Amino acid sequence: MSYLDKITDIYDHIAQGTALDAFEEYYAEDVVMVLEDGTEVEGKDTNRKRENEFFDSVEAFHGIEVTSITSNEEEATTAVESAMDVTFKGGDRVILEQVAVQHWDGDEIARERFYATQ
């Protein structure tokens, strides 16, 4: 399976509401996620908690649009531009636009960085 196939599968999971299943399958135990503000979050357990907190804060998921997706198979790098439509609990409906860049080590994401587009 190519890296493009893998990242496409991850975003298909997000669209289907099974993002955490993709997280378990594709992220390394020692993954480092770099948030939009530059904060580095290390380890799968810590990132799983952060992901769960995000999804717990969502009242309704209205969908995700992937506007661009690409891969560099030789460098084991993928990138995705997307817009997620969510309503937060007790809050407003918002479109969260971001670019995410993934660096793979074999079949797992070792490092992912998020860039907010707004």
Side-chain angles (χ1 to χ4, degrees), residues 18-30:
T18 58
L20 294 175
D21 291 343
F23 179 81
E24 294 304 329
E25 181 175 351
Y26 289 108
Y27 286 77
E29 288 298 322
D30 59 350

Side-chain angles (χ1 to χ4, degrees), residues 1 24 41 56 58 74 77 79 88-89 97 111 114 117:
M1 181 182 260
E24 294 304 329
V41 181
D56 287 346
V58 173
E74 293 78 29
T77 304
F88 288 104
K89 292 177 181 171
E97 294 180 294
R111 183 175 183 86
F114 300 96
T117 61

Side-chain angles (χ1 to χ4, degrees), residues 99-116:
V99 173
V101 179
Q102 301 82 21
H103 299 274
W104 295 76
D105 183 6
D107 291 333
E108 296 178 322
I109 295 172
R111 183 175 183 86
E112 182 169 38
R113 180 157 191 174
F114 300 96
Y115 301 89

Side-chain angles (χ1 to χ4, degrees), residues 37-98:
D37 67 0
T39 301
E40 291 191 4
V41 181
E42 298 182 18
K44 193 169 188 174
D45 289 339
T46 305
N47 279 294
R48 181 184 301 108
K49 181 180 179 203
R50 189 184 55 75
E51 292 289 326
N52 279 319
E53 287 170 357
F54 170 78
F55 287 112
D56 287 346
S57 73
V58 173
E59 181 175 304
F61 175 72
H62 308 287
I64 187 168
E65 177 185 8
V66 173
T67 51
S68 183
I69 190 166
T70 190
S71 70
N72 180 329
E73 297 295 321
E74 293 78 29
E75 297 294 325
T77 304
T78 54
V80 182
E81 178 183 34
S82 65
M84 188 181 313
D85 185 358
V86 299
T87 300
F88 288 104
K89 292 177 181 171
D92 296 325
R93 183 172 178 171
V94 296
I95 307 274
L96 303 172
E97 294 180 294
Q98 71 176 14

